Amino acid sequence: MERFLTADGTPTLYHPRYREAYHPRQGALLQARRLYVEKTLTHLHPAPRVLEVGFGLGVNFRAALESALARGVRLRYLAVEKEPLPREVLLRLALPLPRAEGVFAEILEAWPAERFAGSWGELRLLFGDIREVALPQAWATAVFLDPFSPKVNPEAWEPPVLQRLRQALRPRGRLATYSAQGAFRRALQRAGFSVHRVPGVGKREWTVGIAVKAPPE
Ligand SMILES: C[S@@+](CC[C@H](N)C(=O)[O-])C[C@H]1O[C@@H](n2cnc3c(N)ncnc32)[C@H](O)[C@@H]1O
């Protein structure tokens, strides 16, 4: 897989089968912070619990961890990943996050594993397809929905997946994603989210869903 630098100087990879990069060219860490961490209010939460679809390079994980470590709060992070990257690849994808990189280096020593824990919190991985893995109910304060685009990776955006993500969220929990696709937004609404268009950084619009309505049975 080809590695290249995005505009904020942080690295990403190009996936030849999906024919897409793991992150936008405007900035891998930029998107992680401004969209996933901040639009879900994870950077303010006293006890954040994140559910992520697509762990990838762990950029979103490391950005959330950096924020938690800077504030002295514990992070609980559950990520679903059907195609985990090998350790040798992850080792070449350092980020300018002084606190989180130390923890990530320890994680990589035992990578891949289903659970990592320390004084910083806990990272659990479900190595499987988001359509098939069992998710906790009413657990997450935030969902980071970060598969490849609906065009090339449609199964990860299907209505039944969105309904299960809604059920995994606590009341008033927030889902964030870079996609602004109309069909996806309508499905998100039907899954029990109030749906908000938010201005993107380096992209016109992102989407935030808030778990305000009751999830469908
Ligand atoms: C855009 S990348 C994620 C980038 C990542 N969030 C990060 O911070 O580096 C998309 C990821 O979703 C994973 N993925 C795609 N379809 C999936 C599925 N059906 N179930 C679980 N993971 C999936 C891919 O293997 C890939 O690692």
Side-chain angles (χ1 to χ4, degrees):
M1 257 185 235
E2 186 201 340
R3 173 191 182 279
F4 67 95
L5 291 184
T6 60
D8 68 357
T10 58
T12 191
L13 298 174
Y14 179 81
H15 197 300
R17 199 176 69 251
Y18 290 101
R19 298 186 179 193
E20 279 188 5
Y22 279 70
H23 301 93
R25 63 181 182 285
Q26 290 84 0
L29 185 56
L30 178 88
Q31 178 185 260
R33 282 180 169 146
R34 303 296 297 277
L35 170 60
Y36 289 107
V37 176
E38 294 180 12
K39 296 294 184 222
T40 58
L41 307 183
T42 296
H43 64 311
L44 303 176
H45 205 288
R49 294 185 201 175
V50 177
L51 168 61
E52 176 168 60
V53 182
F55 184 78
L57 284 59
V59 175
N60 295 343
F61 166 69
R62 284 181 271 173
L65 180 61
E66 184 75 12
S67 154
L69 290 170
R71 294 184 297 125
V73 305
R74 279 169 65 88
L75 174 68
R76 295 180 70 193
Y77 203 97
L78 174 62
V80 184
E81 176 55 67
K82 75 168 183 185
E83 211 180 306
L85 289 164
R87 179 197 298 139
E88 313 78 76
V89 173
L90 292 172
L91 280 168
R92 295 174 50 231
L93 300 163
L95 298 175
L97 299 173
R99 299 176 182 88
E101 285 297 286
V103 174
F104 199 57
E106 285 171 25
I107 287 172
L108 290 186
E109 279 173 28
W111 179 268
E114 287 172 2
R115 183 171 181 270
F116 303 90
S119 57
W120 51 272
E122 179 186 50
L123 167 64
R124 281 187 295 146
L125 287 132
L126 297 171
F127 294 117
D129 191 309
I130 184 60
R131 291 172 296 179
E132 289 159 14
V133 296
L135 300 177
Q137 301 283 304
W139 177 83
T141 58
V143 168
F144 296 176
L145 180 56
D146 195 16
F148 292 107
S149 73
K151 198 168 135 212
V152 300
N153 196 183
E155 75 278 7
W157 304 84
E158 282 174 1
V161 169
L162 303 180
Q163 283 169 20
R164 292 200 309 120
L165 295 175
R166 168 65 190 85
Q167 288 159 359
L169 269 172
R170 296 173 71 80
R172 302 219 51 90
R174 288 174 182 235
L175 173 150
T177 187
Y178 64 87
S179 177
Q181 200 214 40
F184 156 67
R185 279 185 167 158
R186 289 187 289 278
L188 198 59
Q189 206 157 21
R190 285 195 297 275
F193 289 89
S194 75
V195 177
H196 305 266
R197 297 162 185 271
V198 296
V201 179
K203 181 177 188 293
R204 199 162 65 87
E205 278 186 346
W206 290 326
T207 302
V208 172
I210 307 180
V212 286
K213 300 182 232 161
E217 290 303 312

